[in-house]
Amino acid sequence: MGNWQSSSDMASSIDPVDNMFGTGVSLLQRILIGFAAGWSGNFLSRFSASMTSWNSVKQPIEILTDIVSDFGAFEAVAVVLWPVITIYYLAHAPVYALILIPILLLALIRIVFTDDPVLFWSLLLIFVLTPGMVITDGNAWSLIPLAFVLFGIGAGLWWALHYEHGHWIDEVKSWFEKDNS
C-alpha cells in the first residue's frame, strides 16, 4: 500500500499521442485567446465609435443599434478575420496603422508561439485595437467612452505587467539605480 504514488508525483507521459494532443490543445487555446483579444478590442472600438451625440448618452440602445446596423460583407470578414481591419486602418489612418501593426504582430507572436503568460499580451492587443474606429469613423463624443475604456484597460495592463512580468520593472529600476550611483 505504501508503494502507490499520487498523480502529482508521477512523471509526465511519454505517450506521443498524449503529448501531441496536449501540444495541439495548448496551441489552439493560445490561437483562440489571440482571436478573442482581437474581437474584444474591435468590439470596444466599435462601441466607442458608436457614441456620436448626446442622444447616445440618453438612449444607450441607440449605441447597440449603431453597432449592428451596418453589418455587411466587410463587417463579417472583419469579425471572422479581425486582423484584416488593419487594412482599413492603413487606408484611413496610416499613422495609427503603422504604430498598430508592429505591436499587433509582436503581441500575436508572444501569445501564440511563446510560453509567456498571455494576460499582458492580450490586454496590450485590446489596448492598441480599441482606438481604431474612433480615429477613423468617430467624433468628439466617441472620445468619452474611449477614455473610460482605455483607462480601465490601462489599469489592467499595469496590473498584468506587475503580476506576469515584474522582472521587467526590476530591470528598468536597476538601469536608473546605476545612473544615480
Side-chain angles (χ1 to χ4, degrees):
M1 256 208 315
N3 293 339
W4 293 97
Q5 294 180 345
S6 69
S7 62
S8 63
D9 293 337
M10 298 185 79
S12 61
S13 173
I14 59 170
D15 182 18
V17 175
D18 283 346
N19 289 336
M20 183 180 69
F21 180 73
T23 303
V25 167
S26 176
L27 181 63
L28 182 62
Q29 286 174 343
R30 288 180 169 271
I31 290 170
L32 289 177
I33 288 170
F35 268 88
W39 291 326
S40 299
N42 284 332
F43 173 77
L44 291 172
S45 178
R46 186 74 181 225
F47 173 78
S48 297
S50 293
M51 182 176 277
T52 56
S53 67
W54 180 248
N55 289 332
S56 299
V57 176
K58 292 191 307 188
Q59 299 172 350
I61 197 71
E62 186 176 310
I63 295 172
L64 294 174
T65 305
D66 286 345
I67 289 174
V68 296
S69 65
D70 294 331
F71 200 78
F74 179 74
E75 293 294 325
V77 169
V79 168
V80 175
L81 300 172
W82 65 262
V84 173
I85 197 76
T86 57
I87 296 170
Y88 180 76
Y89 294 151
L90 195 56
H92 290 86
V95 173
Y96 169 69
L98 292 176
I99 294 169
L100 170 71
I101 291 171
I103 296 172
L104 181 97
L105 289 174
L106 174 68
L108 283 174
I109 288 170
R110 298 299 288 202
I111 289 170
V112 176
F113 296 117
T114 66
D115 287 335
D116 268 1
V118 296
L119 180 63
F120 173 77
W121 297 107
S122 299
L123 286 173
L124 181 65
L125 196 60
I126 294 169
F127 187 83
V128 297
L129 282 170
T130 300
M133 294 300 278
V134 173
I135 291 170
T136 59
D137 297 332
N139 60 16
W141 284 99
S142 303
L143 295 174
I144 296 168
L146 179 67
F148 282 108
V149 167
L150 288 180
F151 180 76
I153 297 170
L157 263 173
W158 185 247
W159 179 84
L161 180 66
H162 281 280
Y163 181 71
E164 293 180 344
H165 300 289
H167 57 280
W168 292 352
I169 296 170
D170 295 337
E171 183 70 26
V172 171
K173 283 181 183 177
S174 72
W175 296 343
F176 292 109
E177 289 172 358
K178 289 178 185 175
D179 290 340
N180 291 336
S181 304

